[in-house]
């Protein structure tokens, strides 16, 4: 019912910036998004939280990106953004968009993931 499409990844030099976008296409009109966020997974490592934002605008960041990354969302467009500054080589990973949502009549929320977008930070 929810399809997430990420964009904005690529190659960035250390110290540079990037902006990722994730647009959600919805097939059920009554769907509301509880939260939208970004996770990342580097080779050989577990997927980790980057940032998440609630429908009300509350945010939570992974310790490794606090002060450097900013998450925002446009509820009217069902889109979430991730602005990353002062990038480091250790930020290199596949970044995945995530959304938790619920439709009228559902007893539980559901989760969708995007296909991922590669971010590579060169030193």
């Amino acid at each position: 019912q929810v399809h997430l499409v990420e964009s904005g990844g690529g190659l960035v030099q250390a110290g540079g910036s990037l902006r990722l976008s994730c647009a959600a296409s919805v097939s059920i009109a009554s769907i509301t998004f509880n939260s939208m966020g970004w996770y990342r997974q580097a080779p050989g490592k577990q997927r980790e939280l980057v940032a998440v934002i609630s429908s009300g605008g509350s945010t939570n960041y992974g310790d490794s990106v606090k002060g450097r990354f900013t998450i925002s969302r446009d509820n009217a467009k069902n889109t979430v953004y991730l602005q990353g500054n002062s990038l480091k080589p250790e930020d290199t990973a596949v970044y995945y968009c995530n959304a938790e949502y619920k439709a009228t009549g559902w007893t539980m929320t559901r989760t969708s993931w995007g296909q991922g977008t590669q971010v590579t930070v060169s030193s």
Side-chain angles (χ1 to χ4, degrees):
Q1 294 89 353
V2 173
H3 181 59
L4 303 175
V5 178
E6 301 110 332
S7 60
L11 177 64
V12 183
Q13 284 192 331
S17 300
L18 62 79
R19 181 175 170 86
L20 303 180
S21 299
C22 173
S25 61
V26 178
S27 60
I28 300 177
S30 66
I31 279 180
T32 56
F33 290 90
N34 295 346
S35 67
M36 299 184 77
W38 293 92
Y39 291 74
R40 68 187 183 186
Q41 188 166 18
K45 295 187 177 181
Q46 290 187 331
R47 191 171 296 189
E48 64 174 359
L49 169 72
V50 178
V52 64
I53 185 169
S54 72
S55 58
S58 298
T59 58
N60 188 35
Y61 294 91
D63 289 340
S64 61
V65 305
K66 284 180 180 177
R68 300 187 298 120
F69 285 31
T70 301
I71 189 170
S72 60
R73 64 189 282 179
D74 185 333
N75 290 331
K77 296 181 179 179
N78 292 331
T79 299
V80 63
Y81 306 95
L82 183 70
Q83 176 70 40
N85 299 322
S86 301
L87 290 170
K88 306 174 182 180
E90 50 263 44
D91 293 318
T92 296
V94 178
Y95 285 68
Y96 296 92
C97 179
N98 168 274
E100 291 188 355
Y101 53 93
K102 193 173 181 181
T104 302
W106 291 4
T107 58
M108 297 179 65
T109 60
R110 299 182 186 182
T111 300
S112 288
W113 291 90
Q115 80 285 355
T117 185
Q118 176 71 46
V119 172
T120 302
V121 183
S122 63
S123 57

